[in-house]
């Protein structure tokens, strides 16, 4: 059954995700801080561009958010023109932004006080995953609420899992980011050895991707890393934000994450060198520099 939905935040992820909602037949409204972006979307898809988050949320069954960080989420959820003011009783708020687990718990409480429900639902798969409708979605919240929104999110998902109470979706995303950082560290060192040993990188990748060493990063980034190409994908400015959540959560539960700290420090150095908007695979430069 089609629903009335809204999508707040039309970046490289949100723009195509909202498009999938519209193409699936849902009555879709959108909001973006730059209204021209929302108007452009409305010209490309069937839907309505709104001037405030409140306007976008009004009369909707589900409102999706995908913005930058904790403060960005708060800026569109709270306030006189925020989503919560516009939500009708019983509507669901879904946050696709990668945030702290604390914010997810905060938003769940705020939604409940407003007569609404909340799901934290960070995604993995990058811009390509959003454009191709094959994202992995990690959810935290009540089963009954997940059951309502899952069929809607399915239009841009390849994998969707409810991992527990509110905040658990964000904690799973932290695990995801730690894995990416570790893989890129190992892949960078491996590529350096391959280059120094005179191996053909494309041939190496074509060989290893079928075995135990295979990974998304190897298949999609190893060759471009060896070619010194990093101007695409998920920027390290955002990755450092995410790794900050990981390290804070580790501190909360009494864990040390030495590899994650090392990767974060290398990304910090890369930011200082002006690579903040480059893809996370630019870690290769830091590893090579430290040889």
């Amino acid at each position: 059954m089609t629903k009335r939905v809204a999508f707040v935040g039309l970046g490289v992820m949100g723009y195509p995700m909202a498009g999938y909602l519209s193409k699936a037949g849902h009555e879709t409204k959108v909001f973006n801080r730059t209204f021209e972006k929302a108007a452009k979307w409305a010209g490309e898809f069937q839907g309505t561009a709104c001037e405030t988050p409140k306007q976008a949320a009004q009369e909707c069954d589900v409102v999706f958010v995908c913005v930058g960080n904790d403060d960005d989420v708060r800026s569109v959820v709270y306030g006189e023109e925020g989503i919560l003011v516009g939500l009708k009783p019983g509507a669901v708020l879904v946050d696709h932004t990668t945030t702290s687990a604390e914010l997810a718990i905060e938003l769940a409480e705020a939604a409940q006080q407003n007569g609404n429900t909340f799901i934290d639902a960070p995604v993995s798969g990058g811009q390509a995953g959003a454009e191709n409708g094959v994202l992995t979605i990690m959810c935290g919240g009540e089963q009954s609420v997940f059951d309502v929104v899952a069929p809607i999110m399915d239009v841009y998902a390849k994998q969707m899992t409810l991992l527990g109470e509110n905040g658990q979706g964000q904690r799973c995303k932290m695990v995801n980011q730690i894995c990416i950082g570790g893989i890129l560290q190992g892949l960078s060192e491996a590529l350096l050895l391959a280059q120094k040993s005179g191996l053909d990188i494309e041939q190496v990748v074509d060989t290893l991707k079928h075995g135990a060493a295979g990974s998304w990063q190897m298949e999609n980034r190893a060759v471009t890393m060896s070619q010194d190409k990093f101007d695409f994908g998920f920027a390290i400015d955002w990755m450092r934000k995410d790794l900050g959540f990981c390290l804070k959560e580790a501190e909360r539960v009494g864990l040390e994450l030495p590899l994650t700290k090392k990767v974060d420090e290398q990304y910090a150095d890369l930011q200082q060198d002006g690579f903040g908007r480059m893809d996370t695979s630019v870690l290769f430069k830091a590893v090579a520099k430290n040889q």
Side-chain angles (χ1 to χ4, degrees):
M1 294 180 62
T2 58
K3 299 283 188 179
R4 291 182 176 180
V5 301
F7 207 103
V8 174
L10 300 175
V12 295
M13 303 293 289
Y15 196 100
M17 291 165 75
Y20 274 103
L21 293 173
S22 175
K23 287 187 287 187
H26 298 296
E27 187 177 324
T28 308
K29 295 192 285 183
V30 296
F31 168 82
N32 196 68
R33 283 180 292 187
T34 305
F35 181 76
E36 289 74 16
K37 191 73 167 290
K40 179 178 181 290
W41 182 94
E44 184 177 345
F45 299 98
Q46 187 72 31
T48 304
C50 300
E51 295 187 354
T52 67
K54 173 185 175 181
Q55 182 184 353
Q58 287 172 336
E59 302 303 321
C60 284
D61 302 302
V62 184
V63 176
F64 300 93
V65 176
C66 190
V67 288
N69 55 38
D70 286 31
D71 290 339
D72 292 332
V73 175
R74 291 188 178 99
S75 73
V76 297
V77 170
Y78 301 133
E80 294 181 359
E81 297 297 332
I83 292 169
L84 285 181
V85 176
L87 280 180
K88 68 180 183 181
V92 185
L93 174 62
V94 178
D95 187 17
H96 284 309
T97 314
T98 298
T99 72
S100 64
E102 287 79 9
L103 178 63
I105 296 168
E106 172 192 320
L107 291 174
E109 293 174 351
Q112 183 178 28
Q113 293 172 6
N114 199 55
N116 305 113
T117 51
F118 174 77
I119 293 282
D120 49 292
V123 301
S124 181
Q127 183 177 347
E131 292 174 347
N132 294 317
V134 290
L135 292 169
T136 295
I137 308 179
M138 298 152 268
C139 300
E142 295 292 332
Q143 182 72 54
S144 59
V145 185
F146 175 78
D147 291 342
V148 171
V149 299
I152 304 173
M153 297 190 295
D154 189 59
V155 298
Y156 46 73
K158 180 180 181 181
Q159 170 68 31
M160 217 178 338
T161 307
L162 179 64
L163 294 135
E165 62 187 7
N166 288 119
Q168 294 299 77
Q170 295 295 351
R171 293 187 178 102
C172 185
K173 180 61 183 287
M174 296 173 199
V175 174
N176 183 80
Q177 301 305 74
I178 291 172
C179 290
I180 291 173
I183 290 169
L184 285 171
Q185 178 72 26
L187 185 57
S188 295
E189 293 181 5
L191 288 174
L192 282 174
L193 179 61
Q195 287 179 333
K196 293 292 185 181
S197 301
L199 288 165
D200 180 278
I201 300 301
E202 290 193 28
Q203 191 175 43
V204 168
V205 171
D206 286 340
T207 301
L208 299 186
K209 69 182 183 182
H210 300 289
S215 67
W216 187 96
Q217 299 294 337
M218 175 179 284
E219 287 200 51
N220 292 275
R221 294 290 181 262
V223 173
T224 53
M225 288 164 71
S226 70
Q227 296 171 342
D228 206 39
K229 296 178 182 178
F230 310 103
D231 193 14
F232 47 81
F234 187 63
I236 64 173
D237 284 345
W238 296 117
M239 185 59 155
R240 286 214 67 217
K241 176 207 69 169
D242 294 356
L243 292 179
F245 295 142
C246 300
L247 294 170
K248 184 178 179 181
E249 181 69 14
E251 183 179 356
R252 184 184 75 85
V253 298
L255 284 178
E256 290 287 332
L257 302 177
L259 179 60
T260 304
K261 288 182 179 178
K262 179 180 180 180
V263 171
D264 184 56
E265 289 167 358
Q266 290 177 118
Y267 279 140
D269 290 339
L270 287 164
Q271 284 178 315
Q272 291 295 319
D273 292 338
F275 295 108
R277 300 307 301 165
M278 294 293 100
D279 179 76
T280 50
S281 62
V282 78
L283 184 67
F284 180 72
K285 279 188 172 294
V287 175
K289 181 179 179 180
N290 292 330
Q291 293 301 308

